[in-house]
Amino acid sequence: MVIKRTTNSRFLLKILSVLISLLLWVYVSNSEHISIDKNIELEVLYPSNVSLTNEIPKEIVYSLKGPRAIVRLILDREEKITIDLRGQKVDSHHRHFFNFKSSDIDLPIGVQVLKILPSNIELSFDEKMRKSLPINLQTVGSLPAHYKMISSRLSPTHLEVYGPKKEITNIKEVMVGPLDMSAMRGTGRRSLPVVGLSERIGLTSDTLPEFIYEIKPLKANYLLRDIAIQKVGNKKVLKMNVSKVLLMIYVDPDEEKLTKKDVKVYFDIPPTAGEHLVPLKVKLSDRADLFKVEPEAIKVTVE
């Protein structure tokens, strides 16, 4: 008897579940209908020896209409349409046309597609080509008054690009920048974005080129005397031929003058014993730039 009652209970629960599902579906189907646009990512896969020669949309827009509750769920769902040509004949002599249909995406019952934009696309290809090109740095503005460029270089000086052979053949250089010279001071390096290339042209490296520079003032307008030299390192220094230096710096006339607390002069202790000639390093406040340090290097004896 116990087993019979349990079986009957399960059967009734199944019936009840089906009835509830049907009631929910009827409610949803008869709820307010709305229209939305859903952007669906487009992915095109093709052999590695060719490149696309025409621009294609990154997304296909499906205009949908259906019950509010269901349509909202579709809107939050991630979708992708993939066109895979890797197993087909793909070269510069073949064009491929594709029409987008409602069946390209999974839609629940009750949701209809009103419109697809674009409704079709054409894909054309060319032989893929690689080429190393010189970098052309674009700049704007000029260095601040009383400053000059001591040294500068691009690293690297060339970039390798790839893309359709017809396009790559006509490209003579890669433009980077623009680099605003008006705000540059001191020493440093700036990453340079690549500009002017079409979406069909790619770079073989993800590393951006850099502009490496040293900019110094043309003159000093402020002196700091008897700045103590600090030592950085674990080795013991037995002797230094100089313990204090003179700093010649340039400070913008509108800025507050620096004091000894605003600067640091130091050297890295060599790792090996004996006498060494070591360069001095200077750390200044952002309000000033070094014109010269005297002396620029000192002799130290390491234990």
Side-chain angles (χ1 to χ4, degrees):
M1 294 297 292
V2 174
I3 296 175
K4 186 176 181 181
R5 282 201 300 267
T6 304
T7 305
N8 288 338
S9 297
R10 290 179 178 173
F11 179 72
L12 290 173
L13 283 174
K14 289 181 180 179
I15 298 240
L16 184 60
S17 298
V18 172
L19 288 174
I20 291 174
S21 299
L22 287 173
L23 289 172
L24 287 173
W25 177 249
V26 170
Y27 169 76
V28 170
S29 298
N30 289 291
S31 65
E32 178 188 1
H33 281 52
I34 61 172
S35 298
I36 62 165
D37 286 341
K38 180 172 177 59
N39 292 26
I40 299 178
E41 179 186 352
L42 175 63
E43 178 184 45
V44 179
L45 305 176
Y46 47 86
S48 60
N49 64 321
V50 296
S51 291
L52 270 170
T53 60
N54 64 318
E55 293 187 14
I56 61 172
K58 295 181 179 179
E59 295 178 325
I60 305 300
V61 181
Y62 279 71
S63 295
L64 307 175
K65 184 178 181 180
R68 178 187 293 274
I70 297 179
V71 170
R72 289 297 183 189
L73 292 175
I74 296 173
L75 193 60
D76 296 334
R77 195 172 63 193
E78 290 189 5
E79 302 269 4
K80 180 189 286 188
I81 296 175
T82 300
I83 298 174
D84 193 346
L85 300 175
R86 290 174 296 183
Q88 299 185 30
K89 179 69 174 179
V90 177
D91 56 33
S92 58
H93 305 294
H94 291 78
R95 291 183 175 182
H96 301 265
F97 298 89
F98 295 91
N99 295 311
F100 298 103
K101 308 177 294 296
S102 302
S103 57
D104 292 331
I105 59 174
D106 294 327
L107 294 175
I109 298 173
V111 177
Q112 59 178 315
V113 177
L114 302 178
K115 185 167 54 176
I116 304 175
L117 291 175
S119 59
N120 57 77
I121 62 169
E122 175 188 349
L123 301 176
S124 58
F125 297 89
D126 191 11
E127 176 186 347
K128 179 183 285 186
M129 179 181 180
R130 294 176 182 265
K131 187 177 182 180
S132 180
L133 297 170
I135 295 174
N136 182 349
L137 173 60
Q138 307 293 303
T139 63
V140 295
S142 56
L143 290 178
H146 310 300
Y147 287 85
K148 65 177 178 180
M149 186 76 70
I150 302 299
S151 64
S152 65
R153 64 184 177 89
L154 287 170
S155 177
T157 58
H158 288 66
L159 286 177
E160 187 178 62
V161 300
Y162 66 89
K165 183 176 181 180
K166 290 180 181 178
E167 283 194 60
I168 295 294
T169 302
N170 296 324
I171 301 176
K172 305 302 180 185
E173 61 187 11
V174 177
M175 292 189 297
V176 297
L179 180 65
D180 186 1
M181 305 295 290
S182 62
M184 296 182 63
R185 288 165 48 181
T187 60
R189 51 207 308 148
R190 300 278 184 92
S191 294
L192 302 167
V194 175
V195 296
L197 291 179
S198 75
E199 292 186 356
R200 297 177 295 279
I201 306 299
L203 301 172
T204 57
S205 173
D206 293 331
T207 304
L208 293 177
E210 292 184 316
F211 180 70
I212 303 168
Y213 61 91
E214 180 181 7
I215 299 170
K216 284 191 173 183
L218 291 168
K219 62 180 181 178
N221 61 358
Y222 198 68
L223 301 179
L224 284 175
R225 303 178 185 276
D226 299 327
I227 305 299
I229 302 173
Q230 301 181 37
K231 303 179 283 290
V232 176
N234 297 322
K235 291 284 187 177
K236 184 177 180 180
V237 177
L238 300 175
K239 183 180 178 182
M240 299 166 51
N241 71 325
V242 175
S243 61
K244 295 182 180 181
V245 297
L246 167 68
L247 289 182
M248 292 176 271
I249 59 179
Y250 179 84
V251 183
D252 193 293
D254 297 329
E255 293 283 355
E256 181 182 349
K257 294 298 187 288
L258 269 65
T259 67
K260 292 182 179 181
K261 295 180 180 179
D262 297 316
V263 303
K264 178 182 178 181
V265 179
Y266 64 99
F267 67 90
D268 296 319
I269 302 174
T272 57
E275 186 177 87
H276 303 270
L277 182 66
V278 295
L280 294 178
K281 299 179 180 181
V282 180
K283 186 176 182 180
L284 293 174
S285 162
D286 292 338
R287 296 183 286 115
D289 291 286
L290 180 67
F291 175 70
K292 192 175 183 182
V293 55
E294 287 188 351
E296 295 182 341
I298 63 172
K299 289 182 181 179
V300 300
T301 303
V302 180
E303 186 177 49

